[in-house]
Amino acid sequence: MAACALPFGAHAEPPCDKPVYLTLDTGHMGVADLVADVLKRQHVLVTFFAANERTQVGDGSLGDDWAPWWKARAAEGHEFASHTFDHAYWRADAGNASAPAFRIRPSAGPREGQESLMTAADYCEEIARSARRLQQITGKKPLPLFRAPGGKTSPKLLAVARQCGYAHVGWSPAGFLGDELSSEKASNAALLQQSLRTIRSGDILLAHLGIWSRKDPWAPAVLEPLIVGLKERGFCFKTLRDHPDYREWIRSKA
Protein backbone atom coordinates (compact mmCIF):
# COMPACT_ATOMS: atom_id res chain seq x y z
CA MET A 1 0.00 0.00 0.00
CA ALA A 2 1.54 3.31 -1.10
CA ALA A 3 1.86 6.15 1.36
CA CYS A 4 0.20 9.48 0.65
CA ALA A 5 3.15 11.82 0.14
CA LEU A 6 3.03 15.29 1.62
CA PRO A 7 4.07 18.16 -0.65
CA PHE A 8 6.05 21.29 0.16
CA GLY A 9 8.99 19.33 1.59
CA ALA A 10 7.08 17.74 4.46
CA HIS A 11 7.67 14.22 5.69
CA ALA A 12 5.60 11.29 4.40
CA GLU A 13 2.27 10.46 5.98
CA PRO A 14 1.46 6.99 7.28
CA PRO A 15 -0.04 4.61 4.69
CA CYS A 16 -3.62 5.50 3.78
CA ASP A 17 -6.19 3.28 2.11
CA LYS A 18 -8.95 5.92 1.98
CA PRO A 19 -7.88 8.33 -0.76
CA VAL A 20 -10.02 11.13 -2.13
CA TYR A 21 -9.16 13.25 -5.16
CA LEU A 22 -9.81 16.97 -4.79
CA THR A 23 -10.13 18.80 -8.11
CA LEU A 24 -10.53 22.55 -8.56
CA ASP A 25 -11.87 24.28 -11.68
CA THR A 26 -10.97 27.89 -12.45
CA GLY A 27 -13.93 30.30 -12.20
CA HIS A 28 -13.35 34.00 -11.42
CA MET A 29 -10.20 33.31 -9.32
CA GLY A 30 -11.36 35.64 -6.57
CA VAL A 31 -10.47 33.12 -3.86
CA ALA A 32 -7.48 31.57 -5.62
CA ASP A 33 -4.86 32.97 -3.23
CA LEU A 34 -6.87 31.95 -0.17
CA VAL A 35 -7.39 28.44 -1.55
CA ALA A 36 -3.67 28.13 -2.26
CA ASP A 37 -2.91 29.15 1.33
CA VAL A 38 -5.25 26.43 2.68
CA LEU A 39 -3.76 23.74 0.44
CA LYS A 40 -0.23 24.69 1.48
CA ARG A 41 -1.10 24.85 5.18
CA GLN A 42 -2.84 21.47 5.05
CA HIS A 43 -0.20 19.82 2.82
CA VAL A 44 -2.79 18.81 0.23
CA LEU A 45 -2.13 18.32 -3.47
CA VAL A 46 -4.97 18.75 -5.96
CA THR A 47 -5.63 18.59 -9.68
CA PHE A 48 -6.56 21.92 -11.27
CA PHE A 49 -8.74 21.98 -14.39
CA ALA A 50 -8.11 25.30 -16.11
CA ALA A 51 -9.94 27.38 -18.70
CA ASN A 52 -9.23 30.98 -19.63
CA GLU A 53 -12.27 32.34 -17.81
CA ARG A 54 -13.15 35.94 -16.96
CA THR A 55 -11.68 36.93 -13.63
CA GLN A 56 -12.42 39.54 -10.99
CA VAL A 57 -8.89 40.91 -11.38
CA GLY A 58 -6.55 40.40 -14.31
CA ASP A 59 -6.69 39.34 -17.93
CA GLY A 60 -8.31 35.91 -17.69
CA SER A 61 -7.48 32.90 -15.55
CA LEU A 62 -4.82 31.70 -18.01
CA GLY A 63 -3.62 35.19 -18.89
CA ASP A 64 -0.25 36.72 -18.11
CA ASP A 65 -1.55 38.34 -14.92
CA TRP A 66 -2.26 34.92 -13.41
CA ALA A 67 0.83 33.16 -14.75
CA PRO A 68 2.84 33.61 -11.50
CA TRP A 69 0.01 32.00 -9.53
CA TRP A 70 0.07 28.90 -11.74
CA LYS A 71 3.87 28.74 -11.63
CA ALA A 72 3.74 28.71 -7.83
CA ARG A 73 1.22 25.87 -7.80
CA ALA A 74 3.41 23.84 -10.16
CA ALA A 75 6.40 24.36 -7.85
CA GLU A 76 4.31 23.00 -4.98
CA GLY A 77 3.60 19.79 -6.89
CA HIS A 78 -0.02 20.19 -7.97
CA GLU A 79 -1.29 18.65 -11.21
CA PHE A 80 -3.01 20.40 -14.10
CA ALA A 81 -5.46 19.49 -16.86
CA SER A 82 -7.64 21.18 -19.46
CA HIS A 83 -11.11 22.59 -18.82
CA THR A 84 -11.24 23.68 -22.51
CA PHE A 85 -9.74 27.07 -23.29
CA ASP A 86 -12.91 29.15 -23.63
CA HIS A 87 -14.92 27.14 -21.08
CA ALA A 88 -16.84 25.71 -24.02
CA TYR A 89 -20.11 23.96 -23.13
CA TRP A 90 -21.28 20.99 -25.19
CA ARG A 91 -24.87 21.58 -26.28
CA ALA A 92 -25.61 18.78 -28.78
CA ASP A 93 -24.03 16.36 -31.20
CA ALA A 94 -24.02 17.18 -34.89
CA GLY A 95 -22.38 15.85 -38.04
CA ASN A 96 -22.39 12.13 -38.77
CA ALA A 97 -20.46 8.97 -37.97
CA SER A 98 -17.70 9.74 -40.46
CA ALA A 99 -17.49 13.45 -39.64
CA PRO A 100 -18.60 14.08 -36.05
CA ALA A 101 -19.30 17.64 -34.95
CA PHE A 102 -20.79 19.38 -31.94
CA ARG A 103 -22.91 22.37 -31.04
CA ILE A 104 -20.74 24.32 -28.57
CA ARG A 105 -21.37 27.49 -26.55
CA PRO A 106 -18.39 29.07 -24.77
CA SER A 107 -18.86 31.14 -21.61
CA ALA A 108 -15.55 32.98 -22.15
CA GLY A 109 -13.44 34.28 -24.98
CA PRO A 110 -14.40 36.10 -28.18
CA ARG A 111 -17.40 33.81 -28.82
CA GLU A 112 -18.80 34.06 -25.29
CA GLY A 113 -22.49 33.14 -25.23
CA GLN A 114 -22.60 32.29 -28.95
CA GLU A 115 -23.49 28.78 -30.02
CA SER A 116 -21.61 27.48 -33.04
CA LEU A 117 -20.58 24.28 -34.76
CA MET A 118 -17.26 22.65 -33.93
CA THR A 119 -15.74 19.80 -35.89
CA ALA A 120 -13.97 17.00 -34.06
CA ALA A 121 -10.64 18.67 -34.88
CA ASP A 122 -11.93 22.00 -33.58
CA TYR A 123 -12.97 20.44 -30.28
CA CYS A 124 -9.65 18.65 -29.89
CA GLU A 125 -7.90 21.98 -30.43
CA GLU A 126 -10.15 23.60 -27.81
CA ILE A 127 -8.97 21.04 -25.25
CA ALA A 128 -5.34 21.10 -26.35
CA ARG A 129 -5.11 24.90 -26.33
CA SER A 130 -5.64 25.02 -22.58
CA ALA A 131 -3.13 22.23 -22.01
CA ARG A 132 -0.52 24.02 -24.12
CA ARG A 133 -1.05 27.26 -22.25
CA LEU A 134 -0.71 25.53 -18.89
CA GLN A 135 2.57 23.95 -19.99
CA GLN A 136 3.82 27.26 -21.35
CA ILE A 137 3.10 28.99 -18.05
CA THR A 138 4.25 26.30 -15.63
CA GLY A 139 6.87 24.34 -17.55
CA LYS A 140 5.03 21.21 -16.39
CA LYS A 141 3.24 18.87 -18.78
CA PRO A 142 -0.46 18.71 -17.90
CA LEU A 143 -2.18 15.38 -17.43
CA PRO A 144 -3.83 13.95 -20.59
CA LEU A 145 -7.22 14.57 -19.02
CA PHE A 146 -9.96 17.16 -19.44
CA ARG A 147 -13.19 18.19 -17.82
CA ALA A 148 -16.00 19.46 -20.00
CA PRO A 149 -17.62 22.60 -18.55
CA GLY A 150 -20.65 21.63 -16.49
CA GLY A 151 -19.65 18.01 -17.00
CA LYS A 152 -21.81 18.09 -20.13
CA THR A 153 -20.74 15.48 -22.67
CA SER A 154 -22.00 12.82 -25.05
CA PRO A 155 -20.57 9.40 -25.92
CA LYS A 156 -19.54 10.82 -29.30
CA LEU A 157 -17.71 13.77 -27.71
CA LEU A 158 -15.90 11.50 -25.24
CA ALA A 159 -14.82 9.19 -28.06
CA VAL A 160 -13.47 12.10 -30.09
CA ALA A 161 -11.55 13.44 -27.08
CA ARG A 162 -9.96 10.06 -26.39
CA GLN A 163 -8.92 9.76 -30.03
CA CYS A 164 -6.98 13.00 -29.66
CA GLY A 165 -5.41 11.91 -26.38
CA TYR A 166 -7.69 13.14 -23.59
CA ALA A 167 -9.78 11.15 -21.12
CA HIS A 168 -12.70 12.91 -19.48
CA VAL A 169 -12.96 13.37 -15.70
CA GLY A 170 -16.28 14.04 -14.02
CA TRP A 171 -16.88 13.85 -10.28
CA SER A 172 -18.51 11.55 -7.76
CA PRO A 173 -22.11 12.28 -6.68
CA ALA A 174 -20.95 12.98 -3.12
CA GLY A 175 -17.97 14.84 -4.55
CA PHE A 176 -20.14 17.72 -5.78
CA LEU A 177 -19.18 20.09 -2.97
CA GLY A 178 -21.94 22.59 -3.71
CA ASP A 179 -20.04 25.82 -4.28
CA GLU A 180 -22.16 26.48 -7.38
CA LEU A 181 -25.42 26.40 -5.42
CA SER A 182 -27.38 29.38 -4.12
CA SER A 183 -26.16 30.59 -0.73
CA GLU A 184 -29.78 31.06 0.34
CA LYS A 185 -30.70 27.44 -0.40
CA ALA A 186 -27.43 25.78 0.59
CA SER A 187 -25.47 27.40 3.41
CA ASN A 188 -21.77 26.75 3.86
CA ALA A 189 -22.48 24.95 7.14
CA ALA A 190 -25.02 22.64 5.50
CA LEU A 191 -22.70 21.87 2.57
CA LEU A 192 -19.83 21.06 4.93
CA GLN A 193 -21.89 18.66 6.99
CA GLN A 194 -23.30 16.97 3.92
CA SER A 195 -19.84 16.44 2.45
CA LEU A 196 -18.40 15.08 5.69
CA ARG A 197 -21.34 12.70 5.93
CA THR A 198 -21.43 11.39 2.37
CA ILE A 199 -17.90 11.40 0.90
CA ARG A 200 -16.41 7.93 0.53
CA SER A 201 -13.00 6.53 -0.32
CA GLY A 202 -12.14 6.92 -3.99
CA ASP A 203 -14.44 9.90 -4.59
CA ILE A 204 -13.44 12.67 -6.97
CA LEU A 205 -14.34 16.01 -5.38
CA LEU A 206 -15.19 19.19 -7.28
CA ALA A 207 -15.00 22.87 -6.30
CA HIS A 208 -13.95 26.13 -7.97
CA LEU A 209 -11.59 29.07 -7.58
CA GLY A 210 -14.53 31.46 -7.58
CA ILE A 211 -18.23 31.31 -8.52
CA TRP A 212 -19.85 34.53 -9.74
CA SER A 213 -23.39 33.68 -8.64
CA ARG A 214 -22.77 32.57 -5.03
CA LYS A 215 -23.08 35.44 -2.53
CA ASP A 216 -21.47 33.59 0.39
CA PRO A 217 -18.34 32.02 -1.15
CA TRP A 218 -17.84 28.33 -0.38
CA ALA A 219 -14.10 28.62 -0.74
CA PRO A 220 -12.09 29.03 1.30
CA ALA A 221 -14.60 29.09 4.18
CA VAL A 222 -15.56 25.42 3.86
CA LEU A 223 -12.38 24.13 2.29
CA GLU A 224 -10.16 23.94 5.36
CA PRO A 225 -12.82 22.50 7.72
CA LEU A 226 -13.61 19.92 5.04
CA ILE A 227 -9.98 18.91 4.62
CA VAL A 228 -9.45 18.72 8.38
CA GLY A 229 -12.67 16.77 8.88
CA LEU A 230 -11.85 14.26 6.18
CA LYS A 231 -8.35 13.75 7.57
CA GLU A 232 -9.86 13.10 11.00
CA ARG A 233 -12.01 10.41 9.38
CA GLY A 234 -8.92 8.67 7.99
CA PHE A 235 -8.96 10.05 4.44
CA CYS A 236 -5.92 11.25 2.53
CA PHE A 237 -5.67 13.43 -0.58
CA LYS A 238 -4.16 12.39 -3.89
CA THR A 239 -4.05 13.84 -7.38
CA LEU A 240 -5.64 12.21 -10.41
CA ARG A 241 -2.24 10.96 -11.47
CA ASP A 242 -2.77 8.25 -8.84
CA HIS A 243 -6.45 7.54 -9.54
CA PRO A 244 -6.94 3.88 -10.53
CA ASP A 245 -9.27 4.81 -13.41
CA TYR A 246 -6.68 7.11 -15.00
CA ARG A 247 -3.27 5.85 -13.86
CA GLU A 248 -2.59 3.61 -16.84
CA TRP A 249 -4.01 6.10 -19.33
CA ILE A 250 -1.68 8.78 -17.99
CA ARG A 251 1.32 6.48 -18.12
CA SER A 252 0.49 5.45 -21.69
CA LYS A 253 0.55 9.10 -22.79
CA ALA A 254 3.76 10.05 -20.99
Side-chain angles (χ1 to χ4, degrees), residues 12-161:
E13 290 181 346
C16 171
D17 59 0
K18 292 175 63 177
V20 290
Y21 304 85
L22 179 57
T23 67
L24 294 168
D25 295 354
T26 34
H28 63 53
M29 304 295 284
V31 297
D33 288 337
L34 297 172
V35 168
D37 289 343
V38 170
L39 297 177
K40 189 170 184 177
R41 185 162 52 248
Q42 291 296 328
H43 302 288
V44 165
L45 288 177
V46 305
T47 305
F48 291 100
F49 286 88
N52 191 38
E53 299 188 65
R54 287 183 296 113
T55 54
Q56 290 182 341
V57 176
D59 56 352
S61 49
L62 289 176
D64 291 341
D65 289 344
W66 281 98
W69 191 90
W70 293 109
K71 289 177 184 177
R73 305 293 79 74
E76 291 165 352
H78 297 284
E79 298 288 355
F80 309 99
S82 176
H83 196 27
T84 73
F85 193 80
D86 285 336
H87 204 247
Y89 282 88
W90 173 87
R91 302 287 289 169
D93 289 341
N96 54 49
S98 60
F102 311 100
R103 303 297 303 182
I104 300 292
R105 187 172 68 190
S107 68
R111 297 171 293 116
E112 179 179 345
Q114 303 173 27
E115 187 170 309
S116 63
L117 191 69
M118 273 192 179
T119 66
D122 292 336
Y123 192 77
C124 286
E125 172 60 17
E126 178 68 18
I127 300 172
R129 188 180 175 195
S130 175
R132 287 198 305 270
R133 178 58 177 160
L134 283 164
Q135 185 163 357
Q136 178 188 28
I137 292 171
T138 66
K140 181 175 183 176
K141 185 178 180 180
L143 300 176
L145 307 174
F146 85 107
R147 173 171 287 150
K152 298 181 183 299
T153 65
S154 70
K156 183 183 291 186
L157 183 137
L158 297 182
V160 162

Side-chain angles (χ1 to χ4, degrees), residues 77-253:
H78 297 284
E79 298 288 355
F80 309 99
S82 176
H83 196 27
T84 73
F85 193 80
D86 285 336
H87 204 247
Y89 282 88
W90 173 87
R91 302 287 289 169
D93 289 341
N96 54 49
S98 60
F102 311 100
R103 303 297 303 182
I104 300 292
R105 187 172 68 190
S107 68
R111 297 171 293 116
E112 179 179 345
Q114 303 173 27
E115 187 170 309
S116 63
L117 191 69
M118 273 192 179
T119 66
D122 292 336
Y123 192 77
C124 286
E125 172 60 17
E126 178 68 18
I127 300 172
R129 188 180 175 195
S130 175
R132 287 198 305 270
R133 178 58 177 160
L134 283 164
Q135 185 163 357
Q136 178 188 28
I137 292 171
T138 66
K140 181 175 183 176
K141 185 178 180 180
L143 300 176
L145 307 174
F146 85 107
R147 173 171 287 150
K152 298 181 183 299
T153 65
S154 70
K156 183 183 291 186
L157 183 137
L158 297 182
V160 162
R162 288 185 78 90
Q163 287 169 8
C164 57
Y166 296 92
H168 185 258
V169 180
W171 53 88
S172 305
F176 177 73
L177 299 177
D179 63 336
E180 297 174 84
L181 301 177
S182 163
S183 302
E184 292 77 14
K185 295 181 180 179
S187 69
N188 282 338
L191 291 174
L192 174 61
Q193 291 309 310
Q194 176 176 298
S195 295
L196 290 174
R197 186 174 64 252
T198 60
I199 287 171
R200 297 292 181 265
S201 177
D203 281 352
I204 296 174
L205 316 182
L206 165 69
H208 299 77
L209 296 173
I211 294 293
W212 291 98
S213 59
R214 188 171 174 88
K215 296 178 181 178
D216 184 17
W218 178 95
V222 181
L223 181 59
E224 193 151 28
L226 177 62
I227 290 171
V228 170
L230 290 174
K231 285 181 176 180
E232 289 173 346
R233 288 159 173 77
F235 291 94
C236 66
F237 291 83
K238 295 187 177 184
T239 71
L240 291 175
R241 183 178 292 278
D242 294 319
H243 194 287
D245 289 350
Y246 302 106
R247 224 167 16 216
E248 291 307 315
W249 172 266
I250 292 168
R251 288 173 183 167
S252 73
K253 302 300 178 184

